[in-house]
Amino acid sequence: MSTPALLILPQGLTVTGVTTWALRLGDALARAGRPVGLIVHGSAPGHREMPASIPTGVRLFRTDDLPEIGSTRADLTPFIPFYRDAIDRLSPDRPVALIPTRHGDCFGVCAALT
């Protein structure tokens, strides 16, 4: 059985290679039968989200009710329960591969959960 994967986009669905890569990877993993989730934080300041289609089979977890990542001066406590809940909802009975991108605090949250 394939390990579930949870990709994290700390700057939202903005026009970047990381966003394109995450959407393509999520699509490929879901098509291969792997449970896949995508945590999407709000857009980086001064940026807008692009219209993006979330691939079929990829679960979307939006952090709309959380502060902007990076605005909490490395206080990761607002994000840890959200990430934990996304992990549990994606795969309640198996470990999940966490794939943070772009922002040190995302890496920090993942490290705190391991």
Side-chain angles (χ1 to χ4, degrees):
M1 191 171 256
S2 298
T3 301
L6 185 59
L7 298 105
I8 303 152
L9 292 174
Q11 296 179 333
L13 294 170
T14 53
V15 179
T16 69
V18 173
T19 300
T20 302
W21 167 82
L23 292 171
R24 287 183 178 170
L25 177 61
D27 182 47
L29 293 173
R31 286 178 187 266
R34 185 180 302 246
V36 180
L38 184 64
I39 292 179
V40 177
H41 287 265
S43 297
H47 293 84
R48 291 186 4 207
E49 285 201 347
M50 66 178 186
S53 175
I54 304 303
T56 302
V58 175
R59 292 189 63 181
L60 182 63
F61 302 96
R62 300 229 31 144
T63 64
D64 296 336
D65 295 331
L66 295 177
E68 177 190 326
I69 194 97
S71 70
T72 59
R73 297 181 178 225
D75 176 7
L76 306 178
T77 55
F79 307 102
I80 292 171
F82 184 91
Y83 281 42
R84 168 56 54 207
D85 182 62
I87 291 166
D88 292 343
R89 290 172 55 200
L90 182 64
S91 180
D93 57 347
R94 292 186 289 160
V96 172
L98 300 174
I99 306 171
T101 64
R102 300 192 65 133
H103 199 285
D105 285 352
C106 286
F107 287 83
V109 174
C110 291
L113 288 168
T114 58

